[in-house]
């Protein structure tokens, strides 16, 4: 109950003490929840949409608690969903989330150049972000772009035929 | 010359998928108009005649499924369109969703009308979120033009379609898991019974169909079954959209008549293997499907001929692999996929996958122990017999078929040679 009290305050004027959940963000979240008519069956979609508007593309704990309070869903249920689905993250990622497919089609069509080039250019490995918080790298299962494999996604946008260093660089250049 | 056909895909490129007016200008919604003049029994009869096997992978007869769904008592029923194709090397539903979303809407309305449902749900995988606006628009425009909503075309039939988003979980392709996800929960399969046809989404009788299955229904309602049935073989009538990819010159989604040989598909449609390499193996139906060696490339692509070789049509994925890939590395890649996707609910799948992965890793490094292969096979068989859902049951198809067709890559022939002496 203590925690929920805290949450209620966040929705009031005392948002300063919370780094992420600003009043503006709270309003945006309210908008999203209202857009879905606070329908608990829409929880997965709501969390995805909220994650999209949070810097570093994740669901911070206070946001999870806020949604729990707003939608009257136990926090444990919110976390059951966040931790289950690969597309939801409870750790901060980055401005640009790079998802590199490491499923079998991209493997047999040769995604090592893609992997190595990304790691070299950004200096990060899987599940890491660059120090400036710009890029986050994760390996994901097939996202249905096998016809243009090897492929990656950046913030959900798909890029394919990434077989050479130059082709990878050209894509990254679009996300400066 | 072209060996592809255009029945399910006939509208691809023929209209602007972002505009209902464009769709109407090519005769769009004539399937719905026609269906609404027919009785449910007549549509079921037609569906049975078309003999469409479910295109998500399970290959259950669609006419039978619709007949069962129609006969389940209930005022309020639900139709779900499963747009969560998650098998690696499967993107054929993406082609329908992106090039002909209105035909999918038609298929759903027809299914809803046939089984007596009031609501339809499209469960779109997160990976296809870029298609969300297009699908959303197709729903909205259908509604504002009177093809959805109350009293559709003054027939007294009312039907709504709701769009739901997945969030990256392969197991949600399974019917009951998908339902859990639409209900806003994490995706773990339900115990059966109750069967979802009687008690599914929100406890209502529920029909789940794949995107392609629904698109086919709209196609044969519009044109009659004869044209559709003029393709294919007697055992596998009709056509199928395949997802052809891997080491192939022209990867893509193609509609083919059943009965082409794998050779025709790979070489004539796909343009063959690039860079002068040799075909080594292919995997049909995604990660849960089996692999076949190049020596059986003349097998016709039909349910019955593939079954003789222990292969499946499944989702329609055809992954072509050339001589540059080691079989064990291929198996490892599939194993990694299932480790990632196992939901962890049941022990055979959760632990079985992990233990088998350890053994496969040893094979990859060449540090396998003498009894490793036997152990892996034993675990694999336990999994296919005891896992809770289809994911665990089929996760080891690749390994088992790889051992069968490529024993030498597991060092098996040498063992056999040694035993002779
Ligand atoms: S077989 Fe695997 S995916 Fe299916 S319930 Fe068991 S652990 Fe979950
Ligand atoms: S295997 Fe990489 S996109 Fe399908």
């Amino acid at each position: 109950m203590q925690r929920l009290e805290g949450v209620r305050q966040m929705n009031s004027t005392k948002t300063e003490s919370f780094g992420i959940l600003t009043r503006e963000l709270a309003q945006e979240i309210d908008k999203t929840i209202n857009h879905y008519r606070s329908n608990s069956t829409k929880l997965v979609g709501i969390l995805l949409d909220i994650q999209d508007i949070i810097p570093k593309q994740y669901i911070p704990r206070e946001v999870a608690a806020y949604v729990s309070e707003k939608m009257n869903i136990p926090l444990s249920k919110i976390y059951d969903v966040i931790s289950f689905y690969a597309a939801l993250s409870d750790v901060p990622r980055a401005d640009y989330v790079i998802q590199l497919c490491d499923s079998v089609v991209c493997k047999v069509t040769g995604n090592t150049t893609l992997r190595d080039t990304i790691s070299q250019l950004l200096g990060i490995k899987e599940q890491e972000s660059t120090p400036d918080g710009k890029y986050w790298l994760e390996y994901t299962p097939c996202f249905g772009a096998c016809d243009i494999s090897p492929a990656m996604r950046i913030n959900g946008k798909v890029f394919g035929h990434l077989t050479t260093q130059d082709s990878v660089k050209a894509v990254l250049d679009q996300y400066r | 010359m072209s060996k592809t056909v255009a029945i399910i895909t006939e509208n691809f490129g023929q209209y602007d998928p972002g505009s209902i007016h464009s769709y109407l200008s090519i005769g769009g919604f004539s399937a719905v108009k026609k269906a609404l003049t027919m009785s449910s029994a007549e549509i079921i009869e037609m569906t049975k005649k078309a003999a469409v096997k479910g295109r998500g992978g399970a290959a259950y007869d669609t006419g039978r499924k619709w007949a069962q769904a129609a006969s389940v008592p209930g005022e309020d029923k639900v139709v779900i369109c499963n747009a969560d194709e998650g098998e690696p090397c499967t993107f054929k539903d993406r082609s329908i969703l992106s090039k002909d979303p209105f035909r999918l809407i038609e298929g759903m309305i027809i299914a809803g009308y046939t089984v007596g449902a009031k609501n339809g749900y499209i469960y779109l995988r997160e990976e296809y979120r870029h298609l969300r606006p297009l699908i959303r628009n197709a729903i909205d425009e259908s509604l504002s033009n009177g093809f959805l909503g109350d009293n559709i075309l003054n027939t007294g039939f009312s039907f709504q379609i709701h769009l739901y988003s997945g969030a990256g979980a392969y197991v949600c392709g399974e019917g009951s898991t998908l339902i859990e996800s639409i209900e806003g929960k994490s995706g773990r399969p339900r115990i059966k019974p109750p069967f979802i046809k009687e008690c599914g989404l929100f406890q209502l009788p529920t029909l789940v169909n794949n995107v392609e299955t629904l698109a086919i229904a709209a196609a044969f309602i519009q044109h009659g079954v004869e044209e559709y049935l003029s393709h294919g073989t007697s055992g596998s009538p009709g056509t199928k959209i395949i997802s052809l990819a891997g080491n192939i010159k022209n990867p893509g989604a193609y509609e083919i008549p059943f009965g082409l040989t794998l050779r025709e598909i790979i070489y004539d449609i796909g343009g063959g293997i690039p860079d002068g390499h040799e075909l080594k193996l292919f995997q049909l139906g995604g990660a849960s499907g089996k692999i076949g060696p190049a020596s059986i490339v003349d097998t016709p692509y039909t349910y019955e001929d593939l079954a003789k070789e222990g292969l499946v049509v499944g989702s329609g994925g055809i992954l072509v692999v050339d001589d540059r890939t080691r079989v064990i590395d291929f198996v490892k890649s599939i194993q990694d996929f299932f480790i990632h996707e196992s939901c962890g609910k049941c022990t055979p799948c959760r632990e079985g996958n992990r233990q088998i992965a350890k053994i496969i890793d040893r094979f990859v490094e060449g540090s396998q122990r003498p009894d490793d292969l036997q152990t892996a096979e034993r675990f694999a068989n336990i999994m296919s017999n005891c896992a809770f859902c289809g994911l665990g049951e089929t996760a080891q198809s690749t390994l088992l078929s790889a051992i069968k067709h490529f024993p030498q890559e597991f060092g098996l022939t040498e063992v056999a040679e040694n035993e002779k002496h």
Side-chain angles (χ1 to χ4, degrees):
Chain A
M1 263 351 266
Q2 274 313 100
R3 189 177 35 72
L4 289 186
E5 283 305 319
V7 169
R8 219 161 269 137
Q9 284 181 6
M10 275 188 265
N11 198 20
S12 69
T13 50
K14 297 184 187 160
T15 55
E16 293 82 14
S17 56
F18 298 90
I20 295 150
L21 190 58
T22 58
R23 196 184 316 172
E24 290 73 38
L25 181 57
Q27 279 169 355
E28 286 296 310
I29 292 174
D30 289 351
K31 240 194 255 165
T32 305
I33 292 174
N34 290 338
H35 172 76
Y36 288 104
R37 302 209 182 90
S38 199
N39 180 343
S40 68
T41 76
K42 293 273 188 182
L43 182 61
V44 179
I46 290 173
L47 289 173
L48 280 172
D49 283 5
I50 291 175
Q51 178 170 271
D52 278 349
I53 55 173
I54 292 175
K56 313 294 177 222
Q57 304 187 45
Y58 76 119
I59 309 279
R61 186 164 184 95
E62 64 232 71
V63 169
Y66 184 75
V67 174
S68 154
E69 161 78 1
K70 272 271 155 183
M71 295 184 67
N72 204 10
I73 297 172
L75 188 62
S76 59
K77 238 199 105 184
I78 307 267
Y79 269 101
D80 179 38
V81 167
I82 295 176
S83 57
F84 182 81
Y85 293 102
L88 292 166
S89 174
D90 62 349
V91 295
R93 292 190 284 183
D95 300 345
Y96 303 127
V97 171
I98 302 175
Q99 295 173 311
L100 208 149
C101 172
D102 75 339
S103 280
V104 68
V105 188
C106 289
K107 281 248 168 77
V108 305
T109 54
N111 64 357
T112 35
T113 308
L114 169 58
R115 280 164 91 141
D116 296 347
T117 311
I118 293 272
S119 283
Q120 263 169 31
L121 289 177
L122 302 178
I124 48 173
K125 293 200 289 282
E126 186 189 2
Q127 302 290 321
E128 283 179 5
S129 58
T130 51
D132 59 2
K134 240 187 168 160
Y135 305 96
W136 164 271
L137 177 61
E138 62 190 32
Y139 294 168
T140 48
C142 173
F143 42 78
C146 329
D147 50 340
I148 53 166
S149 66
M152 70 172 169
R153 298 205 297 166
I154 301 185
N155 286 0
K157 191 165 185 254
V158 178
F159 299 90
H161 298 303
L162 302 172
T163 48
T164 62
Q165 288 199 349
D166 287 344
S167 62
V168 180
K169 271 189 200 139
V171 171
L172 272 189
D173 279 342
Q174 300 174 36
Y175 295 86
R176 281 273 153 229
Chain B
M1 172 60 219
S2 170
K3 297 197 163 159
T4 57
V5 286
I7 293 184
I8 317 169
T9 58
E10 65 176 342
N11 294 338
F12 286 18
Q14 302 303 308
Y15 77 99
D16 168 9
S19 157
I20 197 169
H21 298 294
S22 177
Y23 187 58
L24 290 169
S25 75
I26 62 157
F29 283 100
S30 45
V32 162
K33 286 177 194 158
K34 191 163 152 199
L36 294 184
T37 65
M38 298 165 70
S39 71
S40 162
E42 282 169 338
I43 297 175
I44 289 171
E45 205 39 54
M46 226 168 145
T47 312
K48 282 188 172 159
K49 224 192 248 168
V52 179
K53 294 197 165 86
R55 297 297 168 81
Y60 193 79
D61 183 81
T62 305
R64 249 177 97 187
K65 202 173 189 179
W66 283 21
Q68 288 167 355
S71 68
V72 170
E75 283 299 290
D76 199 358
K77 296 183 194 173
V78 166
V79 173
I80 295 177
C81 165
N82 184 346
D84 192 38
E85 54 175 357
E87 289 285 358
C89 202
T90 302
F91 44 90
K92 47 105 188 163
D93 289 341
R94 192 194 76 208
S95 69
I96 298 174
L97 293 160
S98 59
K99 295 180 180 156
D100 197 3
F102 284 102
R103 177 163 264 178
L104 172 62
I105 304 278
E106 285 206 73
M108 286 188 75
I109 298 170
I110 294 166
Y113 173 74
T114 307
V115 306
K118 288 190 180 132
N119 286 287
Y121 293 80
I122 298 176
Y123 184 77
L124 183 69
R125 67 186 307 223
E126 184 276 336
E127 292 79 352
Y128 293 167
R129 63 191 302 174
H130 55 287
L131 299 175
R132 245 185 112 76
L134 195 67
I135 309 294
R136 177 82 269 152
N137 175 72
I139 296 171
D140 291 346
E141 287 196 340
S142 301
L143 183 64
S144 57
N145 283 270
F147 296 106
L148 286 174
D150 291 334
N151 192 16
I152 296 170
L153 304 176
N154 283 321
T155 56
F157 172 61
S158 301
F159 191 68
Q160 298 282 355
I161 293 182
H162 315 268
L163 180 57
Y164 274 69
S165 181
Y170 166 83
V171 68
C172 290
E174 192 270 343
S176 74
T177 319
L178 187 157
I179 285 170
E180 288 285 296
S181 184
I182 296 185
E183 290 182 354
K185 303 178 216 159
S186 62
R188 292 195 178 80
R190 288 181 183 173
I191 194 156
K192 293 164 196 149
F195 293 99
I196 55 180
K197 63 181 172 203
E198 280 139 10
C199 177
L201 183 63
F202 309 132
Q203 251 92 111
L204 299 172
T206 302
L207 170 74
V208 184
N209 277 141
N210 166 264
V211 172
E212 184 186 348
T213 310
L214 291 164
I216 298 173
F220 68 67
I221 294 284
Q222 181 172 352
H223 303 296
V225 286
E226 287 70 26
E227 191 190 342
Y228 178 76
L229 289 177
S230 70
H231 298 281
T233 65
S234 56
S236 301
T239 68
K240 170 90 190 87
I241 310 182
I242 55 167
S243 310
L244 184 60
N247 302 128
I248 187 117
K249 280 201 187 118
N250 309 316
Y254 299 98
E255 183 175 357
I256 59 158
F258 280 110
L260 292 186
T261 63
L262 286 162
R263 182 187 297 280
E264 289 173 288
I265 295 170
I266 294 170
Y267 291 92
D268 297 344
I269 296 176
I273 319 288
D275 312 324
H277 285 278
E278 294 279 318
L279 174 67
K280 180 171 189 174
L281 60 93
F282 39 80
Q283 182 173 42
L284 305 185
S288 67
K290 293 183 181 157
I291 64 173
S295 58
I296 57 167
V297 71
D298 287 308
T299 309
Y301 191 78
T302 66
Y303 289 99
E304 62 279 14
D305 291 293
L306 292 177
K308 280 185 218 144
E309 300 292 346
L311 297 167
V312 294
V313 169
S315 63
I318 300 180
L319 167 56
V320 180
V321 181
D322 69 23
D323 50 18
R324 283 171 289 188
T325 299
R326 286 198 306 167
V327 168
I328 189 65
D329 293 328
F330 184 89
V331 170
K332 177 172 167 50
S333 177
I334 301 293
Q335 188 61 23
D336 288 347
F337 175 78
F338 282 110
I339 291 255
H340 187 271
E341 297 299 344
S342 168
C343 84
K345 177 173 176 141
C346 72
T347 312
C349 171
R350 187 186 61 242
E351 293 307 320
N353 272 320
R354 277 190 209 155
Q355 298 310 322
I356 290 172
K358 284 187 191 161
I359 294 177
I360 291 173
D361 282 345
R362 288 202 283 272
F363 271 102
V364 169
E365 292 163 7
S367 62
Q368 67 271 25
R369 301 168 192 163
D371 56 351
D372 264 353
L373 201 60
Q374 244 183 341
T375 312
E377 268 188 290
R378 191 154 46 91
F379 288 173
N381 286 321
I382 293 173
M383 282 177 65
S384 53
N385 290 324
C386 310
F388 188 84
C389 84
L391 186 151
E393 281 166 11
T394 56
Q396 296 309 324
S397 304
T398 303
L399 176 68
L400 291 172
S401 53
I403 296 172
K404 179 171 163 212
H405 295 300
F406 297 91
Q408 68 285 5
E409 300 221 10
F410 293 87
L412 271 192
T413 37
E414 286 122 59
V415 174
E417 283 299 313
N418 292 344
E419 277 167 2
K420 275 188 205 158
H421 301 296

